[in-house]
Amino acid sequence: MRAARLIKMVLLLQSRPSMTAAELARELEVSERTVTRDAQALSEAGVPVYADRGRAGGYRLIGGYRTRLTGLHRSEAEVLFLSGVPGALREMGLEDAASAARLKVSAALLPSLRDAPRTAAQRFHLDAPGWFKELRTPELLPAVADAVWDDRRITARYRRGGGERGREVVRELEPYGLVLKAGVWYLCARVADAGAFRTYRIDRFTAVEPGAERFTRDEEFDLPAFWQEQAERFARSLLRAEVVVRLTPDGARRLPYAVDPLAARDALAATDEPDAEGRVTVTLRVESEEVAHTQLTALGPEAEVLSPPSLRERLAADARLLAQRYGE
């Protein structure tokens, strides 16, 4: 533990002109007295740590000293590419590895570039979850993440369906990758006995047991492409009803912003030639008539529902009520 702390202290001093005892104590999460002892230990070991006395004093390295302890471990190199999502790293249990990787990179940079991490953090921040959602990190996420990084099979107990009463099943999985979508964690894995790739919500795992056996990863597996295909398939599976709508040019332009974008794209791609007024008639897949009523209301007079008759009547009743209220 102390050896790791001494290495971190050297890297900190190498990445900055000087640091006070208080700053080092804060970074190393120790007392200032411990910082003094560690500095003395480094000096006795041949590391040229120099202490400037006085109020403005601090610790610094002299003589252009450069440590060779900046080589990245595999885990540090991997999480470095995820350093723009600190929340996700923390939830996967990789925050310490990311911190060490950033520190080693800072120590290896030229002096003129050492403010790059700070300037980047000032200019970009990713907040993945959607608005108005109170999300909790799945308790088993770190265990699943460890298995993903280590290519280690897991035996998982999974609750199928929503709610606490969903039926539980046991699966032996080869965990290929993690996806964070709108604040919800998913595991993309191959079922060991079936060979098929499937997607699981990690907050539905009730138990995860890492196995002793590692699996051989299919190098042709493309996680982003697999996720996009699964997401589109899931989105389309929710669209169980159809409505026929006549759209003005402005209505056609606004359709992807009012309904499911995939459904809008499919509907607009299958349209015939516009009529004399520039309107097009589309067959649109929707979740339900209730959802379609809410979504198409946003288009106002730019959309005219032709079928089903019940939805057309609901929108007509809305129009009559609006005319009555605004006619006054």
Side-chain angles (χ1 to χ4, degrees), residues 123-158:
R123 289 163 174 79
F124 175 76
H125 174 70
L126 176 64
D127 185 8
W131 290 103
F132 313 118
K133 292 182 180 179
E134 184 179 355
L135 301 173
R136 296 180 179 177
T137 303
E139 293 183 4
L140 297 174
L141 175 60
V144 176
D146 284 345
V148 169
W149 294 116
D150 204 27
D151 290 341
R152 190 174 296 277
R153 287 188 177 186
I154 60 173
T155 300
R157 185 176 295 275
Y158 185 76

mmCIF file of all heavy atoms in Angstrom, residues 123-158:
data_model
loop_
_atom_site.group_PDB
_atom_site.id
_atom_site.type_symbol
_atom_site.label_atom_id
_atom_site.label_comp_id
_atom_site.label_asym_id
_atom_site.label_seq_id
_atom_site.Cartn_x
_atom_site.Cartn_y
_atom_site.Cartn_z
ATOM 1 N N ARG A 123 -14.409 21.574 -20.785
ATOM 2 C CA ARG A 123 -15.118 21.751 -22.051
ATOM 3 C C ARG A 123 -16.064 20.619 -22.422
ATOM 4 O O ARG A 123 -16.831 20.750 -23.367
ATOM 5 C CB ARG A 123 -14.087 21.951 -23.178
ATOM 6 C CG ARG A 123 -13.390 23.296 -23.101
ATOM 7 C CD ARG A 123 -12.110 23.314 -23.927
ATOM 8 N NE ARG A 123 -11.529 24.652 -23.961
ATOM 9 C CZ ARG A 123 -10.813 25.194 -22.982
ATOM 10 N NH1 ARG A 123 -10.604 24.508 -21.869
ATOM 11 N NH2 ARG A 123 -10.323 26.416 -23.109
ATOM 12 N N PHE A 124 -15.998 19.501 -21.722
ATOM 13 C CA PHE A 124 -16.893 18.392 -22.074
ATOM 14 C C PHE A 124 -17.260 17.600 -20.829
ATOM 15 O O PHE A 124 -16.392 17.248 -20.027
ATOM 16 C CB PHE A 124 -16.237 17.454 -23.089
ATOM 17 C CG PHE A 124 -17.087 16.240 -23.392
ATOM 18 C CD1 PHE A 124 -18.200 16.357 -24.206
ATOM 19 C CD2 PHE A 124 -16.774 15.018 -22.842
ATOM 20 C CE1 PHE A 124 -18.990 15.252 -24.472
ATOM 21 C CE2 PHE A 124 -17.559 13.902 -23.094
ATOM 22 C CZ PHE A 124 -18.662 14.028 -23.925
ATOM 23 N N HIS A 125 -18.551 17.318 -20.685
ATOM 24 C CA HIS A 125 -19.039 16.462 -19.613
ATOM 25 C C HIS A 125 -20.219 15.667 -20.149
ATOM 26 O O HIS A 125 -21.097 16.222 -20.819
ATOM 27 C CB HIS A 125 -19.477 17.289 -18.398
ATOM 28 C CG HIS A 125 -20.128 16.461 -17.333
ATOM 29 N ND1 HIS A 125 -19.431 15.558 -16.567
ATOM 30 C CD2 HIS A 125 -21.424 16.384 -16.927
ATOM 31 C CE1 HIS A 125 -20.261 14.961 -15.734
ATOM 32 N NE2 HIS A 125 -21.467 15.440 -15.927
ATOM 33 N N LEU A 126 -20.220 14.375 -19.900
ATOM 34 C CA LEU A 126 -21.301 13.513 -20.359
ATOM 35 C C LEU A 126 -22.205 13.160 -19.190
ATOM 36 O O LEU A 126 -21.746 12.616 -18.187
ATOM 37 C CB LEU A 126 -20.730 12.217 -20.974
ATOM 38 C CG LEU A 126 -21.768 11.173 -21.402
ATOM 39 C CD1 LEU A 126 -22.644 11.731 -22.528
ATOM 40 C CD2 LEU A 126 -21.095 9.889 -21.830
ATOM 41 N N ASP A 127 -23.487 13.477 -19.324
ATOM 42 C CA ASP A 127 -24.496 13.117 -18.325
ATOM 43 C C ASP A 127 -25.463 12.166 -19.019
ATOM 44 O O ASP A 127 -26.375 12.596 -19.728
ATOM 45 C CB ASP A 127 -25.209 14.378 -17.826
ATOM 46 C CG ASP A 127 -26.182 14.066 -16.691
ATOM 47 O OD1 ASP A 127 -26.183 12.917 -16.218
ATOM 48 O OD2 ASP A 127 -26.929 14.975 -16.293
ATOM 49 N N ALA A 128 -25.246 10.864 -18.851
ATOM 50 C CA ALA A 128 -25.956 9.868 -19.646
ATOM 51 C C ALA A 128 -27.428 9.690 -19.310
ATOM 52 O O ALA A 128 -28.247 9.550 -20.214
ATOM 53 C CB ALA A 128 -25.231 8.515 -19.539
ATOM 54 N N PRO A 129 -27.849 9.676 -18.034
ATOM 55 C CA PRO A 129 -29.260 9.395 -17.751
ATOM 56 C C PRO A 129 -30.198 10.473 -18.283
ATOM 57 O O PRO A 129 -29.809 11.633 -18.455
ATOM 58 C CB PRO A 129 -29.302 9.347 -16.216
ATOM 59 C CG PRO A 129 -27.902 9.098 -15.793
ATOM 60 C CD PRO A 129 -27.045 9.776 -16.811
ATOM 61 N N GLY A 130 -31.444 10.044 -18.549
ATOM 62 C CA GLY A 130 -32.447 10.993 -18.996
ATOM 63 C C GLY A 130 -32.945 11.847 -17.843
ATOM 64 O O GLY A 130 -32.654 11.597 -16.671
ATOM 65 N N TRP A 131 -33.720 12.869 -18.173
ATOM 66 C CA TRP A 131 -34.274 13.765 -17.165
ATOM 67 C C TRP A 131 -35.365 13.065 -16.369
ATOM 68 O O TRP A 131 -36.024 12.137 -16.846
ATOM 69 C CB TRP A 131 -34.865 15.001 -17.835
ATOM 70 C CG TRP A 131 -33.836 15.922 -18.416
ATOM 71 C CD1 TRP A 131 -33.503 16.048 -19.736
ATOM 72 C CD2 TRP A 131 -33.007 16.858 -17.713
ATOM 73 N NE1 TRP A 131 -32.516 16.984 -19.887
ATOM 74 C CE2 TRP A 131 -32.200 17.508 -18.667
ATOM 75 C CE3 TRP A 131 -32.877 17.199 -16.363
ATOM 76 C CZ2 TRP A 131 -31.277 18.485 -18.317
ATOM 77 C CZ3 TRP A 131 -31.952 18.170 -16.008
ATOM 78 C CH2 TRP A 131 -31.170 18.797 -16.965
ATOM 79 N N PHE A 132 -35.564 13.559 -15.149
ATOM 80 C CA PHE A 132 -36.688 13.169 -14.305
ATOM 81 C C PHE A 132 -36.696 11.669 -13.988
ATOM 82 O O PHE A 132 -37.742 11.047 -13.899
ATOM 83 C CB PHE A 132 -38.022 13.566 -14.952
ATOM 84 C CG PHE A 132 -38.037 14.979 -15.460
ATOM 85 C CD1 PHE A 132 -38.216 15.242 -16.816
ATOM 86 C CD2 PHE A 132 -37.833 16.043 -14.601
ATOM 87 C CE1 PHE A 132 -38.217 16.541 -17.283
ATOM 88 C CE2 PHE A 132 -37.835 17.344 -15.064
ATOM 89 C CZ PHE A 132 -38.026 17.600 -16.406
ATOM 90 N N LYS A 133 -35.509 11.083 -13.848
ATOM 91 C CA LYS A 133 -35.425 9.679 -13.482
ATOM 92 C C LYS A 133 -34.455 9.528 -12.314
ATOM 93 O O LYS A 133 -33.349 10.049 -12.355
ATOM 94 C CB LYS A 133 -34.927 8.828 -14.659
ATOM 95 C CG LYS A 133 -35.899 8.732 -15.824
ATOM 96 C CD LYS A 133 -35.343 7.833 -16.908
ATOM 97 C CE LYS A 133 -36.310 7.718 -18.081
ATOM 98 N NZ LYS A 133 -35.770 6.850 -19.156
ATOM 99 N N GLU A 134 -34.914 8.828 -11.295
ATOM 100 C CA GLU A 134 -34.042 8.524 -10.165
ATOM 101 C C GLU A 134 -33.507 7.112 -10.365
ATOM 102 O O GLU A 134 -34.214 6.125 -10.187
ATOM 103 C CB GLU A 134 -34.814 8.618 -8.845
ATOM 104 C CG GLU A 134 -33.926 8.406 -7.628
ATOM 105 C CD GLU A 134 -34.689 8.528 -6.331
ATOM 106 O OE1 GLU A 134 -35.894 8.868 -6.387
ATOM 107 O OE2 GLU A 134 -34.096 8.275 -5.272
ATOM 108 N N LEU A 135 -32.246 7.043 -10.769
ATOM 109 C CA LEU A 135 -31.665 5.759 -11.131
ATOM 110 C C LEU A 135 -30.721 5.262 -10.031
ATOM 111 O O LEU A 135 -30.035 6.047 -9.389
ATOM 112 C CB LEU A 135 -30.899 5.884 -12.454
ATOM 113 C CG LEU A 135 -31.745 6.349 -13.644
ATOM 114 C CD1 LEU A 135 -30.857 6.594 -14.850
ATOM 115 C CD2 LEU A 135 -32.804 5.302 -13.979
ATOM 116 N N ARG A 136 -30.694 3.956 -9.855
ATOM 117 C CA ARG A 136 -29.810 3.339 -8.884
ATOM 118 C C ARG A 136 -28.839 2.410 -9.604
ATOM 119 O O ARG A 136 -29.221 1.697 -10.535
ATOM 120 C CB ARG A 136 -30.624 2.545 -7.858
ATOM 121 C CG ARG A 136 -31.555 3.399 -7.008
ATOM 122 C CD ARG A 136 -32.315 2.542 -6.015
ATOM 123 N NE ARG A 136 -33.202 3.345 -5.184
ATOM 124 C CZ ARG A 136 -34.019 2.836 -4.267
ATOM 125 N NH1 ARG A 136 -34.044 1.513 -4.079
ATOM 126 N NH2 ARG A 136 -34.810 3.620 -3.556
ATOM 127 N N THR A 137 -27.600 2.423 -9.149
ATOM 128 C CA THR A 137 -26.605 1.544 -9.742
ATOM 129 C C THR A 137 -26.898 0.111 -9.343
ATOM 130 O O THR A 137 -27.046 -0.185 -8.150
ATOM 131 C CB THR A 137 -25.193 1.926 -9.267
ATOM 132 O OG1 THR A 137 -24.948 3.284 -9.601
ATOM 133 C CG2 THR A 137 -24.154 1.038 -9.920
ATOM 134 N N PRO A 138 -27.002 -0.823 -10.290
ATOM 135 C CA PRO A 138 -27.241 -2.230 -9.924
ATOM 136 C C PRO A 138 -26.123 -2.753 -9.027
ATOM 137 O O PRO A 138 -24.941 -2.553 -9.308
ATOM 138 C CB PRO A 138 -27.246 -2.941 -11.289
ATOM 139 C CG PRO A 138 -27.564 -1.876 -12.292
ATOM 140 C CD PRO A 138 -26.950 -0.617 -11.748
ATOM 141 N N GLU A 139 -26.496 -3.423 -7.956
ATOM 142 C CA GLU A 139 -25.506 -3.908 -7.001
ATOM 143 C C GLU A 139 -24.521 -4.884 -7.625
ATOM 144 O O GLU A 139 -23.362 -4.956 -7.229
ATOM 145 C CB GLU A 139 -26.222 -4.582 -5.819
ATOM 146 C CG GLU A 139 -27.030 -3.621 -4.953
ATOM 147 C CD GLU A 139 -27.661 -4.324 -3.767
ATOM 148 O OE1 GLU A 139 -27.395 -5.543 -3.595
ATOM 149 O OE2 GLU A 139 -28.410 -3.675 -3.020
ATOM 150 N N LEU A 140 -24.977 -5.658 -8.609
ATOM 151 C CA LEU A 140 -24.132 -6.691 -9.203
ATOM 152 C C LEU A 140 -23.328 -6.193 -10.398
ATOM 153 O O LEU A 140 -22.610 -6.979 -11.024
ATOM 154 C CB LEU A 140 -24.995 -7.888 -9.621
ATOM 155 C CG LEU A 140 -25.697 -8.600 -8.468
ATOM 156 C CD1 LEU A 140 -26.639 -9.677 -8.987
ATOM 157 C CD2 LEU A 140 -24.674 -9.219 -7.519
ATOM 158 N N LEU A 141 -23.428 -4.894 -10.716
ATOM 159 C CA LEU A 141 -22.700 -4.369 -11.872
ATOM 160 C C LEU A 141 -21.191 -4.571 -11.766
ATOM 161 O O LEU A 141 -20.562 -5.009 -12.735
ATOM 162 C CB LEU A 141 -23.033 -2.890 -12.082
ATOM 163 C CG LEU A 141 -22.250 -2.177 -13.184
ATOM 164 C CD1 LEU A 141 -22.493 -2.840 -14.543
ATOM 165 C CD2 LEU A 141 -22.627 -0.707 -13.248
ATOM 166 N N PRO A 142 -20.539 -4.250 -10.635
ATOM 167 C CA PRO A 142 -19.080 -4.467 -10.577
ATOM 168 C C PRO A 142 -18.670 -5.906 -10.847
ATOM 169 O O PRO A 142 -17.666 -6.164 -11.516
ATOM 170 C CB PRO A 142 -18.718 -4.023 -9.151
ATOM 171 C CG PRO A 142 -19.792 -3.045 -8.782
ATOM 172 C CD PRO A 142 -21.036 -3.591 -9.421
ATOM 173 N N ALA A 143 -19.447 -6.876 -10.335
ATOM 174 C CA ALA A 143 -19.121 -8.286 -10.562
ATOM 175 C C ALA A 143 -19.257 -8.637 -12.041
ATOM 176 O O ALA A 143 -18.425 -9.363 -12.608
ATOM 177 C CB ALA A 143 -20.025 -9.183 -9.713
ATOM 178 N N VAL A 144 -20.308 -8.129 -12.676
ATOM 179 C CA VAL A 144 -20.491 -8.381 -14.103
ATOM 180 C C VAL A 144 -19.387 -7.702 -14.909
ATOM 181 O O VAL A 144 -18.835 -8.283 -15.857
ATOM 182 C CB VAL A 144 -21.880 -7.883 -14.561
ATOM 183 C CG1 VAL A 144 -22.039 -8.046 -16.069
ATOM 184 C CG2 VAL A 144 -22.985 -8.640 -13.836
ATOM 185 N N ALA A 145 -19.039 -6.460 -14.530
ATOM 186 C CA ALA A 145 -17.988 -5.737 -15.242
ATOM 187 C C ALA A 145 -16.653 -6.465 -15.139
ATOM 188 O O ALA A 145 -15.911 -6.560 -16.124
ATOM 189 C CB ALA A 145 -17.861 -4.315 -14.685
ATOM 190 N N ASP A 146 -16.326 -7.005 -13.955
ATOM 191 C CA ASP A 146 -15.082 -7.763 -13.799
ATOM 192 C C ASP A 146 -15.051 -8.944 -14.759
ATOM 193 O O ASP A 146 -14.012 -9.241 -15.368
ATOM 194 C CB ASP A 146 -14.953 -8.270 -12.356
ATOM 195 C CG ASP A 146 -14.553 -7.168 -11.391
ATOM 196 O OD1 ASP A 146 -14.100 -6.104 -11.865
ATOM 197 O OD2 ASP A 146 -14.714 -7.363 -10.171
ATOM 198 N N ALA A 147 -16.172 -9.639 -14.884
ATOM 199 C CA ALA A 147 -16.228 -10.796 -15.780
ATOM 200 C C ALA A 147 -16.077 -10.379 -17.237
ATOM 201 O O ALA A 147 -15.447 -11.083 -18.037
ATOM 202 C CB ALA A 147 -17.541 -11.546 -15.575
ATOM 203 N N VAL A 148 -16.654 -9.218 -17.598
ATOM 204 C CA VAL A 148 -16.526 -8.724 -18.974
ATOM 205 C C VAL A 148 -15.071 -8.434 -19.311
ATOM 206 O O VAL A 148 -14.552 -8.833 -20.358
ATOM 207 C CB VAL A 148 -17.392 -7.464 -19.178
ATOM 208 C CG1 VAL A 148 -17.061 -6.788 -20.512
ATOM 209 C CG2 VAL A 148 -18.873 -7.816 -19.130
ATOM 210 N N TRP A 149 -14.382 -7.722 -18.418
ATOM 211 C CA TRP A 149 -12.980 -7.360 -18.681
ATOM 212 C C TRP A 149 -12.085 -8.591 -18.686
ATOM 213 O O TRP A 149 -11.060 -8.626 -19.382
ATOM 214 C CB TRP A 149 -12.488 -6.363 -17.634
ATOM 215 C CG TRP A 149 -13.166 -5.035 -17.695
ATOM 216 C CD1 TRP A 149 -13.961 -4.487 -16.736
ATOM 217 C CD2 TRP A 149 -13.143 -4.088 -18.770
ATOM 218 N NE1 TRP A 149 -14.432 -3.266 -17.147
ATOM 219 C CE2 TRP A 149 -13.947 -2.997 -18.392
ATOM 220 C CE3 TRP A 149 -12.529 -4.061 -20.021
ATOM 221 C CZ2 TRP A 149 -14.148 -1.885 -19.211
ATOM 222 C CZ3 TRP A 149 -12.725 -2.963 -20.842
ATOM 223 C CH2 TRP A 149 -13.529 -1.892 -20.427
ATOM 224 N N ASP A 150 -12.463 -9.615 -17.899
ATOM 225 C CA ASP A 150 -11.600 -10.790 -17.743
ATOM 226 C C ASP A 150 -11.984 -11.936 -18.667
ATOM 227 O O ASP A 150 -11.363 -12.999 -18.619
ATOM 228 C CB ASP A 150 -11.667 -11.267 -16.278
ATOM 229 C CG ASP A 150 -10.447 -12.062 -15.878
ATOM 230 O OD1 ASP A 150 -9.368 -11.835 -16.463
ATOM 231 O OD2 ASP A 150 -10.558 -12.910 -14.980
ATOM 232 N N ASP A 151 -13.007 -11.750 -19.529
ATOM 233 C CA ASP A 151 -13.487 -12.817 -20.417
ATOM 234 C C ASP A 151 -13.779 -14.093 -19.624
ATOM 235 O O ASP A 151 -13.394 -15.196 -20.008
ATOM 236 C CB ASP A 151 -12.469 -13.111 -21.530
ATOM 237 C CG ASP A 151 -12.362 -11.991 -22.539
ATOM 238 O OD1 ASP A 151 -13.281 -11.163 -22.602
ATOM 239 O OD2 ASP A 151 -11.348 -11.938 -23.265
ATOM 240 N N ARG A 152 -14.481 -13.922 -18.513
ATOM 241 C CA ARG A 152 -14.754 -15.051 -17.623
ATOM 242 C C ARG A 152 -16.254 -15.376 -17.633
ATOM 243 O O ARG A 152 -17.096 -14.487 -17.527
ATOM 244 C CB ARG A 152 -14.320 -14.720 -16.202
ATOM 245 C CG ARG A 152 -14.346 -15.912 -15.253
ATOM 246 C CD ARG A 152 -13.768 -15.529 -13.903
ATOM 247 N NE ARG A 152 -12.358 -15.162 -14.020
ATOM 248 C CZ ARG A 152 -11.353 -16.032 -14.043
ATOM 249 N NH1 ARG A 152 -11.613 -17.329 -13.970
ATOM 250 N NH2 ARG A 152 -10.104 -15.628 -14.129
ATOM 251 N N ARG A 153 -16.561 -16.640 -17.798
ATOM 252 C CA ARG A 153 -17.962 -17.064 -17.779
ATOM 253 C C ARG A 153 -18.595 -16.795 -16.420
ATOM 254 O O ARG A 153 -17.923 -16.821 -15.391
ATOM 255 C CB ARG A 153 -18.075 -18.549 -18.097
ATOM 256 C CG ARG A 153 -17.817 -18.901 -19.560
ATOM 257 C CD ARG A 153 -18.139 -20.350 -19.822
ATOM 258 N NE ARG A 153 -17.953 -20.684 -21.235
ATOM 259 C CZ ARG A 153 -18.267 -21.864 -21.767
ATOM 260 N NH1 ARG A 153 -18.774 -22.803 -20.995
ATOM 261 N NH2 ARG A 153 -18.064 -22.079 -23.043
ATOM 262 N N ILE A 154 -19.899 -16.553 -16.438
ATOM 263 C CA ILE A 154 -20.638 -16.351 -15.199
ATOM 264 C C ILE A 154 -21.891 -17.214 -15.209
ATOM 265 O O ILE A 154 -22.437 -17.545 -16.275
ATOM 266 C CB ILE A 154 -21.035 -14.877 -14.989
ATOM 267 C CG1 ILE A 154 -21.931 -14.388 -16.144
ATOM 268 C CG2 ILE A 154 -19.812 -13.994 -14.839
ATOM 269 C CD1 ILE A 154 -22.498 -12.988 -15.935
ATOM 270 N N THR A 155 -22.319 -17.600 -14.023
ATOM 271 C CA THR A 155 -23.625 -18.226 -13.848
ATOM 272 C C THR A 155 -24.519 -17.173 -13.218
ATOM 273 O O THR A 155 -24.248 -16.691 -12.109
ATOM 274 C CB THR A 155 -23.536 -19.463 -12.943
ATOM 275 O OG1 THR A 155 -22.637 -20.411 -13.539
ATOM 276 C CG2 THR A 155 -24.896 -20.101 -12.779
ATOM 277 N N ALA A 156 -25.560 -16.790 -13.935
ATOM 278 C CA ALA A 156 -26.394 -15.664 -13.510
ATOM 279 C C ALA A 156 -27.826 -16.119 -13.281
ATOM 280 O O ALA A 156 -28.377 -16.913 -14.056
ATOM 281 C CB ALA A 156 -26.363 -14.558 -14.553
ATOM 282 N N ARG A 157 -28.410 -15.603 -12.211
ATOM 283 C CA ARG A 157 -29.840 -15.793 -11.958
ATOM 284 C C ARG A 157 -30.536 -14.513 -12.399
ATOM 285 O O ARG A 157 -30.208 -13.424 -11.918
ATOM 286 C CB ARG A 157 -30.097 -16.084 -10.482
ATOM 287 C CG ARG A 157 -31.555 -16.418 -10.164
ATOM 288 C CD ARG A 157 -31.712 -16.783 -8.702
ATOM 289 N NE ARG A 157 -30.993 -17.999 -8.381
ATOM 290 C CZ ARG A 157 -31.490 -19.226 -8.554
ATOM 291 N NH1 ARG A 157 -32.716 -19.373 -9.049
ATOM 292 N NH2 ARG A 157 -30.783 -20.274 -8.236
ATOM 293 N N TYR A 158 -31.486 -14.651 -13.318
ATOM 294 C CA TYR A 158 -32.079 -13.495 -13.990
ATOM 295 C C TYR A 158 -33.590 -13.508 -13.831
ATOM 296 O O TYR A 158 -34.240 -14.550 -13.990
ATOM 297 C CB TYR A 158 -31.705 -13.533 -15.476
ATOM 298 C CG TYR A 158 -32.142 -12.338 -16.287
ATOM 299 C CD1 TYR A 158 -31.460 -11.127 -16.189
ATOM 300 C CD2 TYR A 158 -33.231 -12.417 -17.154
ATOM 301 C CE1 TYR A 158 -31.841 -10.032 -16.943
ATOM 302 C CE2 TYR A 158 -33.620 -11.320 -17.903
ATOM 303 C CZ TYR A 158 -32.929 -10.132 -17.791
ATOM 304 O OH TYR A 158 -33.313 -9.037 -18.534
#
